[in-house]
Amino acid sequence: RVSSIYMSDLERPKPVGRKRRRVTQLLVLVAACYFSYWFVWPYIRMAHRLGVVGMFSVPKSQCLTQPGFKAVDRSPKRSPLLIADHLIPYTKGKVIFEVGTRNGDILACVNPHAKKAYSAEIDATYCVKLEERGLTVLCDDFRKFSPSALPGLPEGEVPDVFFWWPMMPNTQNEEWMLHIRDALWKQDLGAGKRVIIAFDHNWPRDRRNLQYMWNKYGVDMNGERHEVKYAENRHWRASGTFTLLHLKLDPPRVSTGSIHASKGKFGEVKKAEE
């Protein structure tokens, strides 16, 4: 009897491979999470932001078919390439000045259409790369430069379009705009010129500052708001909407003939006619 019990214990199946199955299940779970994160959720986000139809109807940037153009950065390290498409009609045959150009994808796309393209870039590493792309670079804080005294422009000629998408919108947008506006108004050179500021709807600081800038300057500077829908890649900030705020630099005239800086009307929102 002892012998039969001993034999039955030997013949009883043991839980061989249980740990192996658990490891396999864990690997499958990890793979499923990875696949969902990179190949499912990005498109769910796009559909939420742009709509199911909208995510498939976002156009491709003309930069991608422009001879000699090759993007260096990807969104959101730079603004979407469709921003360049928006800028081109305003810069054809004119002078554009971009502040904070990084590797220069946007300006390199606009450059062939413009009369001249300037970049103000504070990072020396990017300055070298911009020069390699054939762009005119002012490698310093752009507030040190006068818009009416740029190298290569005749005396009294200033850029037609100033553009930027800054890292610190809460302070830089207003400070930079006022620097340009005051310099042009002082010399009565603002007629027909404009500032274009980019705002990413995925970035809370951008959204808040857009409303602040629009409330304060949108009415008195004949502001316009243009929305650009985009979907460049699967990064969580690489699809959605950018707003381009246009503020015109035409100096306001008063009955005495003098020029005064506008203080704006904080809290007042007026939709621009486009």
Side-chain angles (χ1 to χ4, degrees), residues 33-53:
C33 292
Y34 178 86
F35 181 85
S36 298
Y37 181 81
W38 287 106
F39 299 100
V40 177
W41 282 110
Y43 297 102
I44 293 176
R45 282 195 299 266
M46 287 184 195
H48 174 70
R49 293 168 180 170
L50 303 172
V52 176
V53 176

Side-chain angles (χ1 to χ4, degrees), residues 142-143 145-148 158 162 164 173-191 193-195 213 216-222 247-252 259-265:
F142 97 102
R143 292 168 296 182
F145 303 100
S146 170
S148 60
V158 298
F162 297 86
W164 60 77
N173 279 333
E174 185 172 27
E175 182 180 353
W176 292 358
M177 186 277 292
L178 291 176
H179 169 73
I180 294 170
R181 190 187 72 172
D182 293 348
L184 297 191
W185 283 11
K186 184 177 181 180
Q187 301 179 63
D188 198 12
L189 295 173
K193 316 305 180 186
R194 68 179 63 205
V195 167
M213 293 293 289
K216 191 170 183 179
Y217 301 105
V219 174
D220 289 346
M221 295 184 69
N222 298 313
L247 297 175
K248 297 178 183 178
L249 297 168
D250 301 89
I259 301 173
H260 297 284
S262 170
K263 295 181 180 179
K265 299 177 181 178

Side-chain angles (χ1 to χ4, degrees), residues 108-205:
C109 180
V110 174
N111 186 36
H113 306 272
K115 175 182 177 181
K116 195 171 184 62
Y118 286 91
S119 165
E121 175 56 59
I122 202 168
D123 190 316
T125 302
Y126 292 134
C127 293
V128 174
K129 295 179 180 180
L130 293 169
E131 290 174 349
E132 291 174 351
R133 299 186 82 163
L135 299 172
T136 302
V137 186
L138 306 178
C139 195
D140 207 337
D141 186 335
F142 97 102
R143 292 168 296 182
K144 296 181 180 179
F145 303 100
S146 170
S148 60
L150 297 178
L153 283 184
E155 184 178 354
E157 185 174 344
V158 298
D160 300 280
V161 175
F162 297 86
F163 166 73
W164 60 77
W165 178 40
M167 294 182 65
M168 296 178 288
N170 292 344
T171 56
Q172 291 173 327
N173 279 333
E174 185 172 27
E175 182 180 353
W176 292 358
M177 186 277 292
L178 291 176
H179 169 73
I180 294 170
R181 190 187 72 172
D182 293 348
L184 297 191
W185 283 11
K186 184 177 181 180
Q187 301 179 63
D188 198 12
L189 295 173
K193 316 305 180 186
R194 68 179 63 205
V195 167
I196 302 179
I197 308 173
F199 297 87
D200 181 4
H201 287 210
N202 292 326
W203 200 238
R205 288 183 297 180

